[in-house]
Amino acid sequence: MPSVLTQFVAELAAGTLKVVDLTQPLGPDTPVIGLPPIFASSPGMTIEQISHYDDKGPAWYWNTIRLGEHTGTHFDAPVHWVTGKDLADNTTDTIPARRFIGPACVIDVVQQCAENPDFLLTPEHIQDWELAHGPIPTGAWVLMRTDWSKRQGANFLNVGEDGPHAPGLHRAASELLVARDVLGVGVETVGTDAGQAGSFEPPFPNHHIMHGAGKFGLASLCNLDQLPPTGAIVIAAPLKIVGGSGSPLRVLAICPA
Ligand code: MN
């Protein structure tokens, strides 16, 4: 009798299951979150060639990369925030690998974000989604589909005179997702809090609440428009950086074609 894994690879081969890459390209042009100048900033990516089939390495090509842990499509570990600093297994190397895989719940708020770049997801939005699609299961990745990843150039960070404007979560929504015991939340924006969230109470409430509860974050996702509201699984495994607060990663979703 075929196991679920035998059937899984057979369905991938047959094309009845598809793999959706939720990852943005990572390079020197990858946008990085900006902070007020009183705080240290995270460097974008630089890439420097070591050799390219030349006198520095006649048969091989490789590069040196330098970047902040929170660059491009990346994972936020609980230790990233002060509220999560004393939790067990809170760094990229100590989180059990089992916790990188879960069912995806995709909440579509594209229309709301088109009308209001400062849109905040509320418990009501989550509860409306649950009425339509069923309860968010324990251990889910909750993905907020905003189509923000389709924005080009400066419109992605969308910085105005009063700071960045991008959607996020109301603190009560983060509290509800903690109550649902999710793995974490994934967004298409540069970070898992709204652009204006530095002035919220508490500042950056999604980071404050989720990481304080040992939950994760996924930022700068794309291709959420290719996922069903339920029925996909997401694999989001950060690099095993010792003591790492986060890491760029390849986020893969698998769902019916
Ligand atoms: Mn981050």
Side-chain angles (χ1 to χ4, degrees), residues 24-206:
Q24 294 274 18
L26 179 61
D29 296 332
T30 297
V32 174
I33 195 169
L35 295 177
I38 57 165
F39 302 119
S41 62
S42 179
M45 185 178 189
T46 54
I47 183 162
E48 180 189 355
Q49 210 170 79
I50 302 170
S51 73
H52 191 244
Y53 328 117
D54 51 22
D55 55 359
K56 295 177 181 171
W60 51 93
Y61 163 56
W62 51 355
N63 300 307
T64 300
I65 57 173
R66 179 175 188 271
L67 74 177
E69 289 171 328
H70 299 253
T71 304
T73 301
H74 73 271
F75 182 97
D76 289 350
V79 76
H80 179 44
W81 219 250
V82 64
T83 49
K85 72 182 179 66
D86 296 323
L87 297 176
D89 301 335
N90 61 355
T91 55
T92 47
D93 58 324
T94 56
I95 297 165
R98 166 68 187 88
R99 302 192 65 212
F100 300 140
I101 304 172
C105 297
V106 183
I107 303 179
D108 183 339
V109 288
V110 169
Q111 188 61 41
Q112 293 93 325
C113 294
E115 293 164 2
N116 174 19
D118 295 311
F119 169 79
L120 297 180
L121 189 78
T122 65
E124 289 70 34
H125 294 114
I126 296 170
Q127 287 156 352
D128 285 348
W129 185 94
E130 289 186 314
L131 281 175
H133 303 291
I136 293 172
T138 297
W141 284 112
V142 173
L143 308 180
M144 187 171 153
R145 182 189 160 199
T146 58
D147 278 359
W148 206 261
S149 60
K150 297 179 181 177
R151 287 181 166 236
Q152 301 290 322
N155 286 333
F156 179 72
L157 293 178
N158 201 35
V159 179
E161 283 182 8
D162 55 349
H165 292 271
L169 292 90
H170 190 281
R171 63 169 295 164
S174 303
E175 287 164 350
L176 178 57
L177 293 179
V178 167
R180 294 289 187 271
D181 198 16
V182 301
L183 290 178
V185 66
V187 300
E188 296 182 50
T189 46
V190 74
T192 64
D193 263 296
Q196 292 284 300
S199 63
F200 293 177
E201 181 50 48
F204 305 103
N206 185 67

Side-chain angles (χ1 to χ4, degrees), residues 234-250:
V234 164
I235 304 170
L239 298 179
K240 205 166 182 172
I241 299 169
V242 176
S245 76
S247 142
L249 79 172
R250 195 74 177 249

